[in-house]
Amino acid sequence: MPIAKVNGVEVEFEPGMTVLQVAERAGHEIPRFCYHERLSIAGNCRMCLVEVKPGPPKPQASCALPAAENQEIFTDTPMVKKAREGVMEFLLINHPLDCPICDQGGECDLQDQAVGYGRDGSRYAENKRAVDEKYMGPTIKTVMTRCIQCTRCVRFVSEIAGVEDIGMISRGESAEITTYLEQAVGSELSGNVNDLCPVGALTHRPWAFNYRPWELKKTETIDVHDALGSNIRADARGPEVMRVLPRVHEGINEEWLSDKSRYAVDGLMRQRLDRPYVRRDGKLQPATWAEALGAVAERFNAAKPNKIGAIAGDLQDAESMKALMDLMDAIGSPNLDCRQDGAWIGGGERGGYLFNSTLAGIEQADVVLLVGTNPRLEAPLLNTRLRKQWLAGKMRIGLIGEQASLTYGYDYLGAGPASLGKLSKDFAAALKGAQKPAVIVGMGALARDDGAAVLKAVADFAAANGVVRDGWNGFNVLHTAAGRVAGLDMGFLPRAGGLPAVDMVKKGKLDVLFLLGADEIDASATAAFKVYLGSHGDRGAHGADVILPGAAYTEKPGLYVNTEGRVQMAERSIFPKGEAREDWAIIRALSERVGQTLPFDSLAALRAKLMADHPGFGQVDYVAPGQPLNLKALGAKGSLGAAAFASPVKDFYMTNPIARASATMAECSAAASGARAMAAE
């Protein structure tokens, strides 16, 4: 490896690294505003100036300067100090003294670097420039007078998010960052520009003037709004989660976060279930815990075991599903299911329902076929990985399903199952000759009446094209529910003779139906006695006969397994609202009432039983890529329907009870609908 000297100390570096990266490898901090590791190099701010020999006797921008063998880099000479002070003075010429009212205060790069690298005064006496505010949508608050034209936001939306909605106009002192035609940024990742902005020109509109960073208690936890399991930090003040920010996890979300995961947090305070309810005389009325559990136990004890069913929802943690599954097994009921959308997966090899390439590993694929999925809406951060490789010219993508704007080019190969056997010759040849081909099949293909036959057809297609081979498993199932893989792993599925979820809600099938946070299935047809355990007064609670208030994902510790099979541990940020309790504790209390007391009385004991029965849950933050898979065993023979594949996500911002309770998500949904209407015109 080549060697350079940084302040007299030799440092090895990899070819292609910049002077800034070499200096930081040597342990020296280099100030910067425009440079970001995941964005293209702009060289706008000039704050990263260093002295380099051999080279001209002047400061040079280290972010844009390639490192070279035997180069000498100086980061703290008088020339560098004076240059940085001058740059900081220029940056502050027009920057307003907004720190006391700026939402960036306390977390501002400009504040920190002005103290660390700036002068204690300015020689500029003229009037400051003022810039009109811009409308960038419900998630972005602008104070563009603060902008220093670092262009991080421009580069993010064009390179990562894949939309051309933000740009720079004019030159010199008249330069401005703006949206075209004053429209909202049309991306599901728009909130990331607020994190990237180093000076407070772009801040989080939903949280404006609500808190100061030093007031917040910070908890590292896991997001549940999609099946990726993005790593997040929930910041709370008192009983309320004020904001959610991304944590860096290279294997999952890198350092980005979708707008729903970030801004649906206000839904945690709205439409909450904070006390038990029992339906009396046709109306839900408040009740005590004893009355509510007694009413449920009475119905459980009166019904035959095969007339009792349980459905687990999309946001459930593994512990609550394990507790309910053990209770149903104890009373002898075969009717339980975690697939409220009716997807035909589970029950066989684990690889048959996982994203086997892993989220990071999909970047190694050179040809990818999307079947019945829209990753932009179902998993925006997976979509950024596909776009990254497509932009680099390393990946070719084909789509069977709904045509949609995915932020990258793709070969459209058809709408439904019949298209699997009719690929274009060009794409078929590319797939056959690929070094690492991959197939990504979504719930739009599997959550259908012919889902089992579709799964078999896709698996046979994958086998014929060498998608699974030594050292590579490119067969991937993209889930949309955070709790789905954990349920499949533990076997929260119909027992012998049991009913799947889609049959449990049919008229006359059951006498008692237990909905564990199941809000995405229509149970209005059944006359069964319905028990709803959940956190929000959403669809599942509306028709319930008994409501048991549970905890939201920020209010309980829990294990979640993401779409690639990675077990992750969420932590409690705040406590449940009112009389609500953690889901597993409610089920444990109910088990006593029905005479089938579960063998645990603490979360630690429940986890010990979970890991004893299913050892995979003990391997936290581990995923084994490329496991062998027998594709021939997947799915079932049957006739394929003629209907086109359709993504289950129609409105990205309204996919679960928390999002539907969020005022911010309602604004985002309205803005997206307006943009679609304008595009249609």
Side-chain angles (χ1 to χ4, degrees):
M1 293 176 67
I3 296 175
K5 283 187 177 180
V6 181
N7 295 334
V9 178
E10 290 188 348
V11 179
E12 287 188 346
F13 64 92
E14 298 173 11
M17 295 182 74
T18 64
V19 168
L20 184 150
Q21 292 171 318
V22 173
E24 294 209 325
R25 173 171 282 199
H28 297 279
E29 181 183 16
I30 304 295
R32 85 290 297 270
F33 291 112
C34 68
Y35 175 79
H36 191 277
E37 292 80 356
R38 301 184 197 276
L39 302 177
S40 61
I41 294 172
N44 290 341
C45 72
R46 321 307 288 181
M47 195 65 206
C48 63
L49 295 173
V50 297
E51 189 176 350
V52 177
K53 294 181 181 178
K58 65 177 184 179
Q60 299 190 61
S62 59
C63 70
L65 184 64
E69 178 80 46
N70 298 323
Q71 200 172 44
E72 292 188 71
I73 304 166
F74 302 93
T75 67
D76 55 4
T77 63
M79 177 195 291
V80 171
K81 182 176 184 297
K82 182 179 180 182
R84 289 175 179 171
E85 288 177 350
V87 169
M88 180 59 69
E89 186 176 0
F90 272 113
L91 292 175
L92 293 175
I93 278 176
N94 287 312
H95 195 81
L97 294 174
D98 278 353
C99 297
I101 61 164
C102 179
D103 278 313
Q104 197 91 330
E107 300 175 313
C108 179
D109 291 347
L110 188 63
Q111 282 182 330
D112 296 342
Q113 295 184 39
V115 171
Y117 302 99
R119 300 174 67 246
D120 58 359
S122 174
R123 292 164 286 185
Y124 188 78
E126 287 75 15
N127 292 329
K128 289 180 179 285
R129 179 183 80 145
V131 181
D132 290 339
E133 302 315 327
K134 309 293 188 293
Y135 175 72
M136 294 191 179
T139 64
I140 305 172
K141 181 178 183 294
T142 66
V143 185
M144 300 311 292
T145 301
R146 301 172 186 161
C147 181
I148 62 170
Q149 287 82 47
C150 70
T151 70
R152 278 186 178 183
C153 56
V154 177
R155 285 175 283 147
F156 175 83
V157 298
S158 62
E159 297 169 11
I160 308 295
V163 296
E164 301 292 338
D165 289 348
I166 301 180
M168 178 183 284
I169 61 173
S170 302
R171 301 179 65 188
E173 191 179 33
S174 300
E176 296 182 23
I177 302 291
T178 184
T179 55
Y180 301 112
L181 304 178
E182 294 277 325
Q183 291 182 348
V185 176
S187 171
E188 298 76 25
L189 303 168
S190 63
N192 291 287
V193 302
N194 302 325
D195 289 344
L196 289 170
C197 182
V199 298
L202 306 178
T203 55
H204 303 279
R205 183 183 290 275
W207 309 332
F209 308 126
N210 281 357
Y211 60 82
R212 283 300 195 181
W214 52 84
E215 300 174 325
L216 306 178
K217 182 187 76 171
K218 302 167 178 63
T219 305
E220 295 186 349
T221 185
I222 304 300
D223 172 60
V224 301
H225 288 279
D226 59 28
L228 298 193
S230 298
N231 284 218
I232 59 173
R233 194 187 79 198
D235 293 356
R237 184 178 62 193
E240 182 177 0
V241 176
M242 304 299 293
R243 68 178 183 180
V244 165
L245 299 175
R247 289 188 289 133
V248 176
H249 193 301
E250 297 294 345
I252 302 175
N253 59 303
E254 298 178 296
E255 64 181 78
W256 315 123
L257 196 61
S258 75
D259 289 349
K260 181 169 54 181
S261 301
R262 186 191 298 268
Y263 294 119
V265 67
D266 63 322
L268 293 169
M269 294 296 289
R270 295 183 170 90
Q271 300 180 19
R272 290 302 303 270
L273 300 173
D274 59 358
R275 66 178 67 179
Y277 289 86
V278 175
R279 191 176 296 277
R280 302 188 182 100
D281 301 324
K283 293 184 178 180
L284 285 169
Q285 298 179 10
T288 64
W289 272 108
E291 291 171 340
L293 291 174
V296 177
E298 181 182 349
R299 291 296 186 129
F300 264 67
N301 292 329
K304 295 179 180 178
N306 66 344
K307 287 292 186 178
I308 302 173
I311 302 174
D314 293 350
L315 308 185
Q316 290 307 126
D317 56 287
E319 292 88 342
S320 64
M321 287 191 285
K322 175 62 174 173
L324 182 57
M325 184 177 74
D326 285 358
L327 175 59
M328 297 296 289
D329 287 342
I331 65 177
S333 171
N335 309 310
L336 61 165
D337 203 347
C338 62
R339 306 163 301 181
Q340 59 178 333
D341 58 2
W344 292 90
I345 46 174
E349 281 188 70
R350 190 170 188 250
Y353 56 82
L354 292 185
F355 201 95
N356 292 290
S357 299
T358 73
L359 299 174
I362 194 64
E363 295 185 20
Q364 301 175 30
D366 44 2
V367 180
V368 176
L369 177 63
L370 307 176
V371 182
T373 182
N374 181 337
R376 181 175 177 181
L377 299 182
E378 297 169 28
L381 297 175
L382 168 65
N383 204 55
T384 64
R385 292 185 182 272
L386 298 178
R387 173 175 168 77
K388 183 198 305 182
Q389 296 303 104
W390 175 82
L391 270 181
K394 299 178 181 178
M395 181 181 290
R396 184 171 179 179
I397 302 170
L399 171 67
I400 298 177
E402 285 182 298
Q403 282 189 283
S405 172
L406 299 181
T407 73
Y408 44 78
Y410 58 83
D411 294 81
Y412 184 64
L413 304 171
S419 301
L420 283 168
K422 301 177 182 178
L423 298 187
S424 67
K425 291 183 179 180
D426 185 35
F427 190 85
L431 190 64
K432 200 75 175 178
Q435 296 297 313
K436 292 188 175 181
V439 173
I440 301 177
V441 57
M443 294 302 106
L446 303 180
R448 301 161 34 118
D449 292 339
D450 62 347
V454 170
L455 179 58
K456 181 166 184 56
V458 174
D460 290 346
F461 174 86
N465 286 276
V467 167
V468 177
R469 56 183 70 171
D470 289 342
W472 173 252
N473 187 337
F475 184 82
N476 302 301
V477 176
L478 179 58
H479 291 274
T480 55
R484 180 69 53 81
V485 175
L488 297 175
D489 280 350
M490 70 177 67
F492 198 104
L493 296 167
R495 306 301 188 240
L499 299 174
V502 291
D503 289 338
M504 288 188 221
V505 296
K506 292 179 179 178
K507 187 175 181 179
K509 293 291 187 180
L510 297 178
D511 293 336
V512 180
L513 178 60
F514 195 108
L515 300 173
L516 180 60
D519 292 278
E520 313 307 320
I521 190 168
D522 184 3
S524 59
T526 179
F529 183 84
K530 292 187 279 291
V531 181
Y532 178 77
L533 195 168
S535 60
H536 283 71
D538 201 74
R539 298 166 183 168
H542 289 172
D545 297 290
V546 174
I547 294 176
L548 306 175
Y553 73 105
T554 54
E555 300 164 1
K556 59 185 176 183
L559 294 172
Y560 292 89
V561 187
N562 75 350
T563 191
E564 62 183 349
R566 186 190 302 267
V567 179
Q568 298 191 102
M569 188 174 293
E571 300 292 347
R572 179 196 290 121
S573 304
I574 55 176
F575 287 92
K577 301 290 180 284
E579 298 178 35
R581 298 292 182 265
E582 292 181 26
D583 301 3
W584 73 267
I586 297 171
I587 297 168
R588 169 62 173 79
L590 176 61
S591 71
E592 288 187 28
R593 297 296 189 109
V594 300
Q596 300 289 346
T597 304
L598 294 173
F600 46 81
D601 53 12
S602 68
L603 181 63
L606 171 54
R607 281 182 174 167
K609 188 174 189 307
L610 172 66
M611 294 174 187
D613 294 345
H614 312 283
F617 283 93
Q619 297 178 307
V620 177
D621 201 28
Y622 170 77
V623 58
Q627 296 298 300
L629 173 65
N630 180 13
L631 291 170
K632 297 294 184 182
L634 297 184
K637 291 182 179 179
S639 58
L640 296 171
F645 296 135
S647 172
V649 179
K650 303 303 179 187
D651 186 340
F652 170 76
Y653 302 101
M654 295 286 166
T655 57
N656 60 62
I658 300 173
R660 287 190 287 269
S662 165
T664 304
M665 292 298 96
E667 289 184 50
C668 291
S669 178
S673 297
R676 286 194 296 269
M678 288 183 63
E681 293 175 1

